[in-house]
Amino acid sequence: MEFNEPRLALNRIYTRTGDKGETALVGGQRMPKDSLRIECYGTVDELNAFVGMARFSALDTLPALADILLRVQHELFNLGSILATLPQDVHPKQPRVTETEIKQLELEIDKMNAELTPLRSFVLPGGSRVNTELHACRTICRRAERLAVSLARNESVPSEAIGYLNRLSDALFVWSRWANRQLGAPEVLWSPNAAASGKE
């Protein structure tokens, strides 16, 4: 499915219209900046920034992963577009995430996971910079998913939005492990007895 290209003119960055704690949705409705819908798509935006950071770290050493992460950034912006729009204002050609994006993540999860050794322990972020950045992305993605689930209790949220975030968090976990394997970096396994009390 092809979506409309955005028609934007971002000449003025500040408008002062948000100084009273409100912002506008795509349909023009004013909402408090701490409303659940704003918090939800704001967290998707935060996730996009962290994915961009991980992509930058992967550019030289893991170009295939960097390409995937760039695609994910575009998908997250499309997701934010839908979350910033009330259901009655969604245009048929408005960018969004669909089952196609979810299936693509599943293909990538399965392909990369097949190259990894089975886990016998939980893993901690570490081993390489890109691994830790992908873990940060994963936790932000989980938060975005929780917010989307909360929003869906009271308002209409496309099921694909929640499904995409759920699958993306799984993908980020697999990508973090795959990155360490490709870089020859060790996985950091959780050891309960490594805590201070475990040595008593």
Side-chain angles (χ1 to χ4, degrees):
M1 176 185 292
E2 199 163 302
F3 300 114
N4 283 339
E5 290 293 324
R7 296 180 190 89
L8 297 173
L10 299 175
N11 298 323
R12 290 193 62 196
I13 301 304
Y14 64 90
T15 61
R16 298 192 177 95
T17 56
D19 290 354
K20 294 184 180 176
E22 291 187 343
T23 191
L25 297 178
V26 170
Q29 301 90 344
R30 303 293 298 177
M31 293 192 73
K33 289 186 176 183
D34 60 353
S35 70
L36 191 52
R37 183 171 290 275
I38 309 302
E39 183 68 23
C40 187
Y41 75 72
T43 304
V44 169
D45 186 35
E46 179 185 352
L47 171 59
N48 204 335
F50 275 78
V51 171
M53 192 184 309
R55 176 181 172 265
F56 188 80
S57 294
L59 270 176
D60 293 333
T61 53
L62 300 166
L65 179 60
D67 288 346
I68 291 172
L69 294 176
L70 178 59
R71 188 198 76 230
V72 166
Q73 285 190 273
H74 288 291
E75 291 169 356
L76 288 170
F77 216 98
N78 291 351
L79 174 58
S81 167
I82 284 296
L83 291 172
T85 309
L86 294 180
Q88 64 269 25
D89 295 324
V90 173
H91 190 275
K93 297 282 275 181
Q94 186 170 340
R96 68 198 70 199
V97 292
T98 70
E99 283 297 324
T100 299
E101 282 75 27
I102 295 172
K103 284 187 171 60
Q104 183 60 38
L105 288 174
E106 290 173 346
L107 287 171
E108 289 157 352
I109 290 169
D110 292 342
K111 180 172 183 269
M112 291 185 177
N113 198 47
E115 300 177 29
L116 302 174
T117 56
L119 277 176
R120 299 283 183 258
S121 169
F122 290 109
V123 294
L124 304 180
S128 67
R129 183 181 185 89
V130 69
N131 173 280
T132 58
E133 289 169 347
L134 289 167
H135 272 288
C137 292
R138 175 184 59 79
T139 63
I140 297 167
C141 189
R142 286 293 190 201
R143 175 155 45 93
E145 181 189 3
R146 291 193 299 271
L147 289 165
V149 168
S150 295
L151 181 62
R153 280 206 192 92
N154 302 306
E155 300 184 45
S156 178
V157 173
S159 60
E160 295 86 357
I162 297 172
Y164 178 82
L165 289 168
N166 182 269
R167 215 66 82 256
L168 179 58
S169 63
D170 292 335
L172 289 162
F173 176 73
V174 169
W175 294 338
S176 73
R177 295 192 66 215
W178 182 87
N180 268 2
R181 179 179 171 82
Q182 295 300 114
L183 296 171
E187 287 197 299
V188 183
L189 300 180
W190 172 53
S191 173
N193 292 320
S197 58
K199 299 184 192 303
E200 289 178 352

